[in-house]
Amino acid sequence: MTDSHHNIIIIGGGVVGLGVALEITRRFPRQRLLVLEKEDRVARHQSGHNSGVIHSGVYYKPGSLKARLCVSGAAAMVEFCREHGVPHQVCGKVIVATREEEVPRLEEIRARGVANGLSGLRIIGREELREIEPHAAGLQALIVPSTGITDYALVSEKYAELITAAGGTVLTSAEVTGIRRSSGEIVVETRRGAFETSALINCAGLFSDRICRMAGDDPGVMIVPFRGEYYDLLPERASLVRALIYPVPDPRFPFLGVHFTRRISGKVDAGPNAVLAMAREGYRHSNINLRDAASWAMFGGFWRMARRHWRMGLGEWHRSISKGAFARALQKLLPEIREQDLVPGGSGVRAQALKPDGALVDDFQFVSSGRVPPGKVLHVLNVPSPAATASLAIGRAIVESAAAGLGLC
Ligand SMILES: Cc1cc2nc3c(=O)[nH]c(=O)nc-3n(C[C@H](O)[C@H](O)[C@H](O)COP(=O)(O)OP(=O)(O)OC[C@H]3O[C@@H](n4cnc5c(N)ncnc54)[C@H](O)[C@@H]3O)c2cc1C
């Protein structure tokens, strides 16, 4: 027995699941849509524990989904925030080269940004950097004027409000525990009952590979959680940072390196680092989940990744357990910052898909299931940063490419 029948169910009440749901309610207002979220409110995980940056799209490989959906998604996000009164600011950012060998990388990043359609990108020298960020130190910097800030928990709540107003349902405290499929229908079992649906989209973030398996599909990747830890600057030292100050990222690694972010609240934080977490929702060192740890240990790709990135991983661990090391990394960008200016802030856990060959999946990945009912199940398997920025564009892209298969039109 099921509680009700829906045209489409989305698993995951994060900014991506809600972004997809919002697009469905806009395009197909007659469809019965249900979002299932295991927590008691939306955006409790990645979407509520991030840096709040509206990324410009400057870093990503031209033509990739990340590049296309970040650039169009950033514009859509600014417009959405403006239209719905969500606090935001287009404050711009600087990417600062602090070592000679980083200077050519700045030009490469600028060229990528131009190829991705960004305007206003400019490489500046030390003096002009000082005019923009008076306390930053660097040899040269790239100005990215279209970068902004917002609060993605508020964005997610607004998405949920609009979905509900349009006739959709966002059901919280409804953890999905099982999925049964037959040629005609799909039954999703949750802690709040079972729901029948004609189509299903899995946007379960840190658990998207498990939900994929629960639906009888092989994700082909494993989600590995990378914790990002922040320090807050003492309020009296927040004036050291006007907007956003980033280092030149290491091209071998998908994360951007510890940076300074002025939040929409006015607070300034530093981070996040990228430490392998011992649990999918491992927000602290003490969070250890043996089931999670065992599943990585049994996945060959995990050991291949460890062999490839162990040096970087050790550096991140060192910065995680030593505040002094964290402060020293920050001093490269802001020499005046002292260890005593930093107080422990929050943390977030990134869901990063890992391939069996040990490579971290770089681009966004959406995979349609080949099993029955045909085309009716879609798994969103890799949506790391800048997916919050891109959430509206991701919603649009998924609906445009999969609506017919999902039976929405
Ligand atoms: C530290 C950090 C900093 C970041 N900074 C930025 C940034 O500045 N800008 C940017 O654009 N992006 C940033 N990101 C990335 C961005 O936050 C994520 O890409 C985005 O939030 C992913 O959204 P999501 O909906 O896929 O995941 P989530 O927000 O994690 O949502 C998935 C949801 O699925 C639910 N779920 C899981 N299992 C089940 C189940 N069995 N049943 C029901 N529900 C389930 C979870 O409870 C969760 O709410 C950052 C991420 C982190 C971690």
Side-chain angles (χ1 to χ4, degrees), residues 12 14-16 37-38 45-47 50-51 53 55 176 230 383-389:
V15 73
V16 171
E37 167 54 50
K38 73 180 165 74
H45 292 289
Q46 297 175 87
S47 305
N50 57 44
S51 299
V53 176
H55 285 295
V176 173
Y230 296 88
V383 276
S385 185
T389 302

mmCIF file with all atom_site columns, all heavy atoms in Angstrom, residues 12 14-16 37-38 45-47 50-51 53 55 176 230 383-389, ligand 1:
data_model
loop_
_atom_site.group_PDB
_atom_site.id
_atom_site.type_symbol
_atom_site.label_atom_id
_atom_site.label_alt_id
_atom_site.label_comp_id
_atom_site.label_asym_id
_atom_site.label_entity_id
_atom_site.label_seq_id
_atom_site.pdbx_PDB_ins_code
_atom_site.Cartn_x
_atom_site.Cartn_y
_atom_site.Cartn_z
_atom_site.occupancy
_atom_site.B_iso_or_equiv
_atom_site.pdbx_formal_charge
_atom_site.auth_seq_id
_atom_site.auth_comp_id
_atom_site.auth_asym_id
_atom_site.auth_atom_id
_atom_site.pdbx_PDB_model_num
ATOM   1   N N   . GLY A 1 12  ? 16.036 14.507 -1.841  1.00 0.00 ? 12  GLY A N   1
ATOM   2   C CA  . GLY A 1 12  ? 17.053 15.476 -1.434  1.00 0.00 ? 12  GLY A CA  1
ATOM   3   C C   . GLY A 1 12  ? 16.542 16.904 -1.457  1.00 0.00 ? 12  GLY A C   1
ATOM   4   O O   . GLY A 1 12  ? 16.246 17.443 -2.516  1.00 0.00 ? 12  GLY A O   1
ATOM   5   N N   . GLY A 1 14  ? 18.187 19.653 -0.805  1.00 0.00 ? 14  GLY A N   1
ATOM   6   C CA  . GLY A 1 14  ? 19.278 20.624 -0.850  1.00 0.00 ? 14  GLY A CA  1
ATOM   7   C C   . GLY A 1 14  ? 18.999 21.589 -1.989  1.00 0.00 ? 14  GLY A C   1
ATOM   8   O O   . GLY A 1 14  ? 17.956 21.500 -2.668  1.00 0.00 ? 14  GLY A O   1
ATOM   9   N N   . VAL A 1 15  ? 19.943 22.491 -2.227  1.00 0.00 ? 15  VAL A N   1
ATOM   10  C CA  . VAL A 1 15  ? 19.699 23.539 -3.218  1.00 0.00 ? 15  VAL A CA  1
ATOM   11  C C   . VAL A 1 15  ? 19.559 22.955 -4.634  1.00 0.00 ? 15  VAL A C   1
ATOM   12  O O   . VAL A 1 15  ? 18.829 23.512 -5.459  1.00 0.00 ? 15  VAL A O   1
ATOM   13  C CB  . VAL A 1 15  ? 20.818 24.619 -3.116  1.00 0.00 ? 15  VAL A CB  1
ATOM   14  C CG1 . VAL A 1 15  ? 22.149 24.132 -3.675  1.00 0.00 ? 15  VAL A CG1 1
ATOM   15  C CG2 . VAL A 1 15  ? 20.408 25.934 -3.725  1.00 0.00 ? 15  VAL A CG2 1
ATOM   16  N N   . VAL A 1 16  ? 20.192 21.800 -4.885  1.00 0.00 ? 16  VAL A N   1
ATOM   17  C CA  . VAL A 1 16  ? 20.098 21.214 -6.229  1.00 0.00 ? 16  VAL A CA  1
ATOM   18  C C   . VAL A 1 16  ? 18.741 20.528 -6.409  1.00 0.00 ? 16  VAL A C   1
ATOM   19  O O   . VAL A 1 16  ? 18.026 20.806 -7.386  1.00 0.00 ? 16  VAL A O   1
ATOM   20  C CB  . VAL A 1 16  ? 21.276 20.247 -6.500  1.00 0.00 ? 16  VAL A CB  1
ATOM   21  C CG1 . VAL A 1 16  ? 21.060 19.477 -7.793  1.00 0.00 ? 16  VAL A CG1 1
ATOM   22  C CG2 . VAL A 1 16  ? 22.593 21.032 -6.565  1.00 0.00 ? 16  VAL A CG2 1
ATOM   23  N N   . GLU A 1 37  ? 12.927 14.814 1.930   1.00 0.00 ? 37  GLU A N   1
ATOM   24  C CA  . GLU A 1 37  ? 14.154 15.231 2.622   1.00 0.00 ? 37  GLU A CA  1
ATOM   25  C C   . GLU A 1 37  ? 14.232 14.528 3.965   1.00 0.00 ? 37  GLU A C   1
ATOM   26  O O   . GLU A 1 37  ? 13.258 14.523 4.709   1.00 0.00 ? 37  GLU A O   1
ATOM   27  C CB  . GLU A 1 37  ? 14.154 16.765 2.792   1.00 0.00 ? 37  GLU A CB  1
ATOM   28  C CG  . GLU A 1 37  ? 15.193 17.307 3.748   1.00 0.00 ? 37  GLU A CG  1
ATOM   29  C CD  . GLU A 1 37  ? 16.618 16.852 3.433   1.00 0.00 ? 37  GLU A CD  1
ATOM   30  O OE1 . GLU A 1 37  ? 17.058 16.957 2.282   1.00 0.00 ? 37  GLU A OE1 1
ATOM   31  O OE2 . GLU A 1 37  ? 17.297 16.373 4.376   1.00 0.00 ? 37  GLU A OE2 1
ATOM   32  N N   . LYS A 1 38  ? 15.400 13.950 4.273   1.00 0.00 ? 38  LYS A N   1
ATOM   33  C CA  . LYS A 1 38  ? 15.476 13.172 5.511   1.00 0.00 ? 38  LYS A CA  1
ATOM   34  C C   . LYS A 1 38  ? 15.563 14.039 6.763   1.00 0.00 ? 38  LYS A C   1
ATOM   35  O O   . LYS A 1 38  ? 15.167 13.622 7.837   1.00 0.00 ? 38  LYS A O   1
ATOM   36  C CB  . LYS A 1 38  ? 16.648 12.198 5.460   1.00 0.00 ? 38  LYS A CB  1
ATOM   37  C CG  . LYS A 1 38  ? 18.033 12.778 5.597   1.00 0.00 ? 38  LYS A CG  1
ATOM   38  C CD  . LYS A 1 38  ? 19.061 11.651 5.520   1.00 0.00 ? 38  LYS A CD  1
ATOM   39  C CE  . LYS A 1 38  ? 20.459 12.160 5.280   1.00 0.00 ? 38  LYS A CE  1
ATOM   40  N NZ  . LYS A 1 38  ? 21.088 12.783 6.425   1.00 0.00 ? 38  LYS A NZ  1
ATOM   41  N N   . HIS A 1 45  ? 22.580 20.165 4.895   1.00 0.00 ? 45  HIS A N   1
ATOM   42  C CA  . HIS A 1 45  ? 23.933 19.653 4.657   1.00 0.00 ? 45  HIS A CA  1
ATOM   43  C C   . HIS A 1 45  ? 24.717 20.601 3.758   1.00 0.00 ? 45  HIS A C   1
ATOM   44  O O   . HIS A 1 45  ? 24.828 21.778 4.092   1.00 0.00 ? 45  HIS A O   1
ATOM   45  C CB  . HIS A 1 45  ? 23.862 18.192 4.190   1.00 0.00 ? 45  HIS A CB  1
ATOM   46  C CG  . HIS A 1 45  ? 23.383 17.340 5.341   1.00 0.00 ? 45  HIS A CG  1
ATOM   47  N ND1 . HIS A 1 45  ? 24.179 17.084 6.430   1.00 0.00 ? 45  HIS A ND1 1
ATOM   48  C CD2 . HIS A 1 45  ? 22.172 16.786 5.616   1.00 0.00 ? 45  HIS A CD2 1
ATOM   49  C CE1 . HIS A 1 45  ? 23.504 16.392 7.333   1.00 0.00 ? 45  HIS A CE1 1
ATOM   50  N NE2 . HIS A 1 45  ? 22.269 16.192 6.863   1.00 0.00 ? 45  HIS A NE2 1
ATOM   51  N N   . GLN A 1 46  ? 25.225 20.145 2.614   1.00 0.00 ? 46  GLN A N   1
ATOM   52  C CA  . GLN A 1 46  ? 26.104 21.027 1.840   1.00 0.00 ? 46  GLN A CA  1
ATOM   53  C C   . GLN A 1 46  ? 25.496 22.414 1.584   1.00 0.00 ? 46  GLN A C   1
ATOM   54  O O   . GLN A 1 46  ? 26.188 23.428 1.651   1.00 0.00 ? 46  GLN A O   1
ATOM   55  C CB  . GLN A 1 46  ? 26.408 20.400 0.488   1.00 0.00 ? 46  GLN A CB  1
ATOM   56  C CG  . GLN A 1 46  ? 27.174 19.088 0.571   1.00 0.00 ? 46  GLN A CG  1
ATOM   57  C CD  . GLN A 1 46  ? 27.312 18.503 -0.804  1.00 0.00 ? 46  GLN A CD  1
ATOM   58  O OE1 . GLN A 1 46  ? 28.247 18.823 -1.508  1.00 0.00 ? 46  GLN A OE1 1
ATOM   59  N NE2 . GLN A 1 46  ? 26.386 17.651 -1.199  1.00 0.00 ? 46  GLN A NE2 1
ATOM   60  N N   . SER A 1 47  ? 24.191 22.429 1.307   1.00 0.00 ? 47  SER A N   1
ATOM   61  C CA  . SER A 1 47  ? 23.558 23.697 0.903   1.00 0.00 ? 47  SER A CA  1
ATOM   62  C C   . SER A 1 47  ? 23.477 24.707 2.037   1.00 0.00 ? 47  SER A C   1
ATOM   63  O O   . SER A 1 47  ? 23.313 25.900 1.783   1.00 0.00 ? 47  SER A O   1
ATOM   64  C CB  . SER A 1 47  ? 22.159 23.430 0.347   1.00 0.00 ? 47  SER A CB  1
ATOM   65  O OG  . SER A 1 47  ? 22.260 22.483 -0.692  1.00 0.00 ? 47  SER A OG  1
ATOM   66  N N   . ASN A 1 50  ? 28.195 26.071 3.382   1.00 0.00 ? 50  ASN A N   1
ATOM   67  C CA  . ASN A 1 50  ? 29.164 26.385 2.318   1.00 0.00 ? 50  ASN A CA  1
ATOM   68  C C   . ASN A 1 50  ? 29.648 27.824 2.453   1.00 0.00 ? 50  ASN A C   1
ATOM   69  O O   . ASN A 1 50  ? 29.317 28.495 3.424   1.00 0.00 ? 50  ASN A O   1
ATOM   70  C CB  . ASN A 1 50  ? 28.556 26.074 0.941   1.00 0.00 ? 50  ASN A CB  1
ATOM   71  C CG  . ASN A 1 50  ? 27.272 26.816 0.718   1.00 0.00 ? 50  ASN A CG  1
ATOM   72  O OD1 . ASN A 1 50  ? 27.171 28.003 1.020   1.00 0.00 ? 50  ASN A OD1 1
ATOM   73  N ND2 . ASN A 1 50  ? 26.260 26.123 0.213   1.00 0.00 ? 50  ASN A ND2 1
ATOM   74  N N   . SER A 1 51  ? 30.401 28.289 1.470   1.00 0.00 ? 51  SER A N   1
ATOM   75  C CA  . SER A 1 51  ? 31.009 29.628 1.586   1.00 0.00 ? 51  SER A CA  1
ATOM   76  C C   . SER A 1 51  ? 30.069 30.750 1.161   1.00 0.00 ? 51  SER A C   1
ATOM   77  O O   . SER A 1 51  ? 30.405 31.926 1.323   1.00 0.00 ? 51  SER A O   1
ATOM   78  C CB  . SER A 1 51  ? 32.284 29.696 0.739   1.00 0.00 ? 51  SER A CB  1
ATOM   79  O OG  . SER A 1 51  ? 33.219 28.749 1.191   1.00 0.00 ? 51  SER A OG  1
ATOM   80  N N   . VAL A 1 53  ? 29.350 31.752 -1.801  1.00 0.00 ? 53  VAL A N   1
ATOM   81  C CA  . VAL A 1 53  ? 29.848 32.553 -2.923  1.00 0.00 ? 53  VAL A CA  1
ATOM   82  C C   . VAL A 1 53  ? 29.033 32.264 -4.186  1.00 0.00 ? 53  VAL A C   1
ATOM   83  O O   . VAL A 1 53  ? 28.733 31.108 -4.489  1.00 0.00 ? 53  VAL A O   1
ATOM   84  C CB  . VAL A 1 53  ? 31.346 32.252 -3.174  1.00 0.00 ? 53  VAL A CB  1
ATOM   85  C CG1 . VAL A 1 53  ? 31.856 32.995 -4.410  1.00 0.00 ? 53  VAL A CG1 1
ATOM   86  C CG2 . VAL A 1 53  ? 32.165 32.635 -1.952  1.00 0.00 ? 53  VAL A CG2 1
ATOM   87  N N   . HIS A 1 55  ? 29.693 31.972 -7.547  1.00 0.00 ? 55  HIS A N   1
ATOM   88  C CA  . HIS A 1 55  ? 30.910 31.877 -8.369  1.00 0.00 ? 55  HIS A CA  1
ATOM   89  C C   . HIS A 1 55  ? 30.639 32.411 -9.776  1.00 0.00 ? 55  HIS A C   1
ATOM   90  O O   . HIS A 1 55  ? 29.529 32.278 -10.301 1.00 0.00 ? 55  HIS A O   1
ATOM   91  C CB  . HIS A 1 55  ? 31.406 30.430 -8.425  1.00 0.00 ? 55  HIS A CB  1
ATOM   92  C CG  . HIS A 1 55  ? 32.067 30.002 -7.151  1.00 0.00 ? 55  HIS A CG  1
ATOM   93  N ND1 . HIS A 1 55  ? 33.238 30.566 -6.696  1.00 0.00 ? 55  HIS A ND1 1
ATOM   94  C CD2 . HIS A 1 55  ? 31.716 29.071 -6.225  1.00 0.00 ? 55  HIS A CD2 1
ATOM   95  C CE1 . HIS A 1 55  ? 33.583 30.002 -5.541  1.00 0.00 ? 55  HIS A CE1 1
ATOM   96  N NE2 . HIS A 1 55  ? 32.678 29.097 -5.229  1.00 0.00 ? 55  HIS A NE2 1
ATOM   97  N N   . VAL A 1 176 ? 14.487 8.382  2.837   1.00 0.00 ? 176 VAL A N   1
ATOM   98  C CA  . VAL A 1 176 ? 14.189 7.291  1.906   1.00 0.00 ? 176 VAL A CA  1
ATOM   99  C C   . VAL A 1 176 ? 14.967 6.055  2.362   1.00 0.00 ? 176 VAL A C   1
ATOM   100 O O   . VAL A 1 176 ? 16.191 6.108  2.554   1.00 0.00 ? 176 VAL A O   1
ATOM   101 C CB  . VAL A 1 176 ? 14.572 7.682  0.464   1.00 0.00 ? 176 VAL A CB  1
ATOM   102 C CG1 . VAL A 1 176 ? 14.432 6.498  -0.479  1.00 0.00 ? 176 VAL A CG1 1
ATOM   103 C CG2 . VAL A 1 176 ? 13.711 8.857  -0.002  1.00 0.00 ? 176 VAL A CG2 1
ATOM   104 N N   . TYR A 1 230 ? 36.403 25.989 8.627   1.00 0.00 ? 230 TYR A N   1
ATOM   105 C CA  . TYR A 1 230 ? 36.568 27.449 8.569   1.00 0.00 ? 230 TYR A CA  1
ATOM   106 C C   . TYR A 1 230 ? 37.049 27.988 9.913   1.00 0.00 ? 230 TYR A C   1
ATOM   107 O O   . TYR A 1 230 ? 36.733 27.437 10.962  1.00 0.00 ? 230 TYR A O   1
ATOM   108 C CB  . TYR A 1 230 ? 35.233 28.132 8.282   1.00 0.00 ? 230 TYR A CB  1
ATOM   109 C CG  . TYR A 1 230 ? 34.610 27.823 6.945   1.00 0.00 ? 230 TYR A CG  1
ATOM   110 C CD1 . TYR A 1 230 ? 33.764 26.728 6.790   1.00 0.00 ? 230 TYR A CD1 1
ATOM   111 C CD2 . TYR A 1 230 ? 34.835 28.631 5.843   1.00 0.00 ? 230 TYR A CD2 1
ATOM   112 C CE1 . TYR A 1 230 ? 33.165 26.452 5.568   1.00 0.00 ? 230 TYR A CE1 1
ATOM   113 C CE2 . TYR A 1 230 ? 34.238 28.363 4.617   1.00 0.00 ? 230 TYR A CE2 1
ATOM   114 C CZ  . TYR A 1 230 ? 33.404 27.268 4.487   1.00 0.00 ? 230 TYR A CZ  1
ATOM   115 O OH  . TYR A 1 230 ? 32.808 26.995 3.285   1.00 0.00 ? 230 TYR A OH  1
ATOM   116 N N   . VAL A 1 383 ? 27.717 16.905 -7.994  1.00 0.00 ? 383 VAL A N   1
ATOM   117 C CA  . VAL A 1 383 ? 27.396 18.341 -8.090  1.00 0.00 ? 383 VAL A CA  1
ATOM   118 C C   . VAL A 1 383 ? 28.108 19.099 -6.968  1.00 0.00 ? 383 VAL A C   1
ATOM   119 O O   . VAL A 1 383 ? 27.476 19.680 -6.090  1.00 0.00 ? 383 VAL A O   1
ATOM   120 C CB  . VAL A 1 383 ? 25.871 18.621 -8.086  1.00 0.00 ? 383 VAL A CB  1
ATOM   121 C CG1 . VAL A 1 383 ? 25.288 18.470 -9.464  1.00 0.00 ? 383 VAL A CG1 1
ATOM   122 C CG2 . VAL A 1 383 ? 25.118 17.756 -7.094  1.00 0.00 ? 383 VAL A CG2 1
ATOM   123 N N   . PRO A 1 384 ? 29.449 19.081 -7.028  1.00 0.00 ? 384 PRO A N   1
ATOM   124 C CA  . PRO A 1 384 ? 30.186 19.857 -6.022  1.00 0.00 ? 384 PRO A CA  1
ATOM   125 C C   . PRO A 1 384 ? 30.158 21.337 -6.408  1.00 0.00 ? 384 PRO A C   1
ATOM   126 O O   . PRO A 1 384 ? 29.477 21.732 -7.370  1.00 0.00 ? 384 PRO A O   1
ATOM   127 C CB  . PRO A 1 384 ? 31.595 19.283 -6.113  1.00 0.00 ? 384 PRO A CB  1
ATOM   128 C CG  . PRO A 1 384 ? 31.724 18.854 -7.538  1.00 0.00 ? 384 PRO A CG  1
ATOM   129 C CD  . PRO A 1 384 ? 30.342 18.443 -7.982  1.00 0.00 ? 384 PRO A CD  1
ATOM   130 N N   . SER A 1 385 ? 30.899 22.160 -5.685  1.00 0.00 ? 385 SER A N   1
ATOM   131 C CA  . SER A 1 385 ? 30.977 23.575 -6.008  1.00 0.00 ? 385 SER A CA  1
ATOM   132 C C   . SER A 1 385 ? 31.350 23.727 -7.479  1.00 0.00 ? 385 SER A C   1
ATOM   133 O O   . SER A 1 385 ? 32.174 22.959 -7.966  1.00 0.00 ? 385 SER A O   1
ATOM   134 C CB  . SER A 1 385 ? 32.050 24.233 -5.140  1.00 0.00 ? 385 SER A CB  1
ATOM   135 O OG  . SER A 1 385 ? 32.065 25.615 -5.367  1.00 0.00 ? 385 SER A OG  1
ATOM   136 N N   . PRO A 1 386 ? 30.727 24.573 -8.252  1.00 0.00 ? 386 PRO A N   1
ATOM   137 C CA  . PRO A 1 386 ? 29.833 25.670 -7.900  1.00 0.00 ? 386 PRO A CA  1
ATOM   138 C C   . PRO A 1 386 ? 28.346 25.323 -8.071  1.00 0.00 ? 386 PRO A C   1
ATOM   139 O O   . PRO A 1 386 ? 27.584 26.146 -8.594  1.00 0.00 ? 386 PRO A O   1
ATOM   140 C CB  . PRO A 1 386 ? 30.245 26.732 -8.909  1.00 0.00 ? 386 PRO A CB  1
ATOM   141 C CG  . PRO A 1 386 ? 30.495 25.908 -10.174 1.00 0.00 ? 386 PRO A CG  1
ATOM   142 C CD  . PRO A 1 386 ? 31.063 24.608 -9.711  1.00 0.00 ? 386 PRO A CD  1
ATOM   143 N N   . ALA A 1 387 ? 27.924 24.148 -7.578  1.00 0.00 ? 387 ALA A N   1
ATOM   144 C CA  . ALA A 1 387 ? 26.542 23.729 -7.869  1.00 0.00 ? 387 ALA A CA  1
ATOM   145 C C   . ALA A 1 387 ? 25.491 24.567 -7.143  1.00 0.00 ? 387 ALA A C   1
ATOM   146 O O   . ALA A 1 387 ? 24.357 24.655 -7.610  1.00 0.00 ? 387 ALA A O   1
ATOM   147 C CB  . ALA A 1 387 ? 26.351 22.254 -7.537  1.00 0.00 ? 387 ALA A CB  1
ATOM   148 N N   . ALA A 1 388 ? 25.842 25.189 -6.019  1.00 0.00 ? 388 ALA A N   1
ATOM   149 C CA  . ALA A 1 388 ? 24.845 26.058 -5.373  1.00 0.00 ? 388 ALA A CA  1
ATOM   150 C C   . ALA A 1 388 ? 24.599 27.269 -6.280  1.00 0.00 ? 388 ALA A C   1
ATOM   151 O O   . ALA A 1 388 ? 23.454 27.610 -6.580  1.00 0.00 ? 388 ALA A O   1
ATOM   152 C CB  . ALA A 1 388 ? 25.330 26.484 -3.992  1.00 0.00 ? 388 ALA A CB  1
ATOM   153 N N   . THR A 1 389 ? 25.691 27.862 -6.750  1.00 0.00 ? 389 THR A N   1
ATOM   154 C CA  . THR A 1 389 ? 25.577 28.976 -7.709  1.00 0.00 ? 389 THR A CA  1
ATOM   155 C C   . THR A 1 389 ? 24.732 28.554 -8.906  1.00 0.00 ? 389 THR A C   1
ATOM   156 O O   . THR A 1 389 ? 23.873 29.300 -9.376  1.00 0.00 ? 389 THR A O   1
ATOM   157 C CB  . THR A 1 389 ? 26.987 29.344 -8.242  1.00 0.00 ? 389 THR A CB  1
ATOM   158 O OG1 . THR A 1 389 ? 27.819 29.687 -7.141  1.00 0.00 ? 389 THR A OG1 1
ATOM   159 C CG2 . THR A 1 389 ? 26.940 30.458 -9.258  1.00 0.00 ? 389 THR A CG2 1
HETATM 160 C C1  . LIG B 2 .   ? 32.548 23.699 2.520   1.00 0.00 ? 1   LIG B C1  1
HETATM 161 C C2  . LIG B 2 .   ? 31.794 23.955 1.247   1.00 0.00 ? 1   LIG B C2  1
HETATM 162 C C3  . LIG B 2 .   ? 31.886 25.187 0.595   1.00 0.00 ? 1   LIG B C3  1
HETATM 163 C C4  . LIG B 2 .   ? 31.183 25.406 -0.589  1.00 0.00 ? 1   LIG B C4  1
HETATM 164 N N1  . LIG B 2 .   ? 31.163 26.657 -1.134  1.00 0.00 ? 1   LIG B N1  1
HETATM 165 C C5  . LIG B 2 .   ? 30.378 26.892 -2.218  1.00 0.00 ? 1   LIG B C5  1
HETATM 166 C C6  . LIG B 2 .   ? 30.223 28.201 -2.719  1.00 0.00 ? 1   LIG B C6  1
HETATM 167 O O1  . LIG B 2 .   ? 30.743 29.163 -2.155  1.00 0.00 ? 1   LIG B O1  1
HETATM 168 N N2  . LIG B 2 .   ? 29.478 28.380 -3.833  1.00 0.00 ? 1   LIG B N2  1
HETATM 169 C C7  . LIG B 2 .   ? 28.876 27.337 -4.481  1.00 0.00 ? 1   LIG B C7  1
HETATM 170 O O2  . LIG B 2 .   ? 28.231 27.546 -5.501  1.00 0.00 ? 1   LIG B O2  1
HETATM 171 N N3  . LIG B 2 .   ? 28.973 26.078 -3.994  1.00 0.00 ? 1   LIG B N3  1
HETATM 172 C C8  . LIG B 2 .   ? 29.684 25.841 -2.875  1.00 0.00 ? 1   LIG B C8  1
HETATM 173 N N4  . LIG B 2 .   ? 29.749 24.597 -2.352  1.00 0.00 ? 1   LIG B N4  1
HETATM 174 C C9  . LIG B 2 .   ? 29.073 23.508 -3.033  1.00 0.00 ? 1   LIG B C9  1
HETATM 175 C C10 . LIG B 2 .   ? 27.565 23.506 -2.764  1.00 0.00 ? 1   LIG B C10 1
HETATM 176 O O3  . LIG B 2 .   ? 27.279 23.756 -1.415  1.00 0.00 ? 1   LIG B O3  1
HETATM 177 C C11 . LIG B 2 .   ? 27.027 22.155 -3.199  1.00 0.00 ? 1   LIG B C11 1
HETATM 178 O O4  . LIG B 2 .   ? 27.445 21.903 -4.518  1.00 0.00 ? 1   LIG B O4  1
HETATM 179 C C12 . LIG B 2 .   ? 25.493 22.108 -3.161  1.00 0.00 ? 1   LIG B C12 1
HETATM 180 O O5  . LIG B 2 .   ? 25.020 22.553 -1.918  1.00 0.00 ? 1   LIG B O5  1
HETATM 181 C C13 . LIG B 2 .   ? 25.017 20.703 -3.451  1.00 0.00 ? 1   LIG B C13 1
HETATM 182 O O6  . LIG B 2 .   ? 23.629 20.700 -3.232  1.00 0.00 ? 1   LIG B O6  1
HETATM 183 P P1  . LIG B 2 .   ? 22.857 19.321 -3.119  1.00 0.00 ? 1   LIG B P1  1
HETATM 184 O O7  . LIG B 2 .   ? 21.431 19.661 -3.054  1.00 0.00 ? 1   LIG B O7  1
HETATM 185 O O8  . LIG B 2 .   ? 23.342 18.395 -4.183  1.00 0.00 ? 1   LIG B O8  1
HETATM 186 O O9  . LIG B 2 .   ? 23.403 18.666 -1.778  1.00 0.00 ? 1   LIG B O9  1
HETATM 187 P P2  . LIG B 2 .   ? 22.912 18.792 -0.265  1.00 0.00 ? 1   LIG B P2  1
HETATM 188 O O10 . LIG B 2 .   ? 22.718 20.198 0.137   1.00 0.00 ? 1   LIG B O10 1
HETATM 189 O O11 . LIG B 2 .   ? 23.865 17.992 0.549   1.00 0.00 ? 1   LIG B O11 1
HETATM 190 O O12 . LIG B 2 .   ? 21.479 18.125 -0.290  1.00 0.00 ? 1   LIG B O12 1
HETATM 191 C C14 . LIG B 2 .   ? 21.279 16.735 -0.388  1.00 0.00 ? 1   LIG B C14 1
HETATM 192 C C15 . LIG B 2 .   ? 20.111 16.436 0.521   1.00 0.00 ? 1   LIG B C15 1
HETATM 193 O O13 . LIG B 2 .   ? 19.752 15.072 0.383   1.00 0.00 ? 1   LIG B O13 1
HETATM 194 C C16 . LIG B 2 .   ? 19.265 14.642 1.626   1.00 0.00 ? 1   LIG B C16 1
HETATM 195 N N5  . LIG B 2 .   ? 19.292 13.186 1.683   1.00 0.00 ? 1   LIG B N5  1
HETATM 196 C C17 . LIG B 2 .   ? 20.378 12.367 1.684   1.00 0.00 ? 1   LIG B C17 1
HETATM 197 N N6  . LIG B 2 .   ? 19.989 11.090 1.790   1.00 0.00 ? 1   LIG B N6  1
HETATM 198 C C18 . LIG B 2 .   ? 18.639 11.089 1.850   1.00 0.00 ? 1   LIG B C18 1
HETATM 199 C C19 . LIG B 2 .   ? 17.660 10.066 1.994   1.00 0.00 ? 1   LIG B C19 1
HETATM 200 N N7  . LIG B 2 .   ? 17.988 8.761  2.106   1.00 0.00 ? 1   LIG B N7  1
HETATM 201 N N8  . LIG B 2 .   ? 16.350 10.426 2.025   1.00 0.00 ? 1   LIG B N8  1
HETATM 202 C C20 . LIG B 2 .   ? 15.973 11.732 1.921   1.00 0.00 ? 1   LIG B C20 1
HETATM 203 N N9  . LIG B 2 .   ? 16.874 12.747 1.819   1.00 0.00 ? 1   LIG B N9  1
HETATM 204 C C21 . LIG B 2 .   ? 18.179 12.422 1.777   1.00 0.00 ? 1   LIG B C21 1
HETATM 205 C C22 . LIG B 2 .   ? 20.222 15.285 2.616   1.00 0.00 ? 1   LIG B C22 1
HETATM 206 O O14 . LIG B 2 .   ? 19.707 15.338 3.941   1.00 0.00 ? 1   LIG B O14 1
HETATM 207 C C23 . LIG B 2 .   ? 20.439 16.643 1.990   1.00 0.00 ? 1   LIG B C23 1
HETATM 208 O O15 . LIG B 2 .   ? 19.594 17.641 2.520   1.00 0.00 ? 1   LIG B O15 1
HETATM 209 C C24 . LIG B 2 .   ? 30.427 24.361 -1.161  1.00 0.00 ? 1   LIG B C24 1
HETATM 210 C C25 . LIG B 2 .   ? 30.324 23.123 -0.491  1.00 0.00 ? 1   LIG B C25 1
HETATM 211 C C26 . LIG B 2 .   ? 30.961 22.927 0.718   1.00 0.00 ? 1   LIG B C26 1
HETATM 212 C C27 . LIG B 2 .   ? 30.759 21.651 1.447   1.00 0.00 ? 1   LIG B C27 1
#
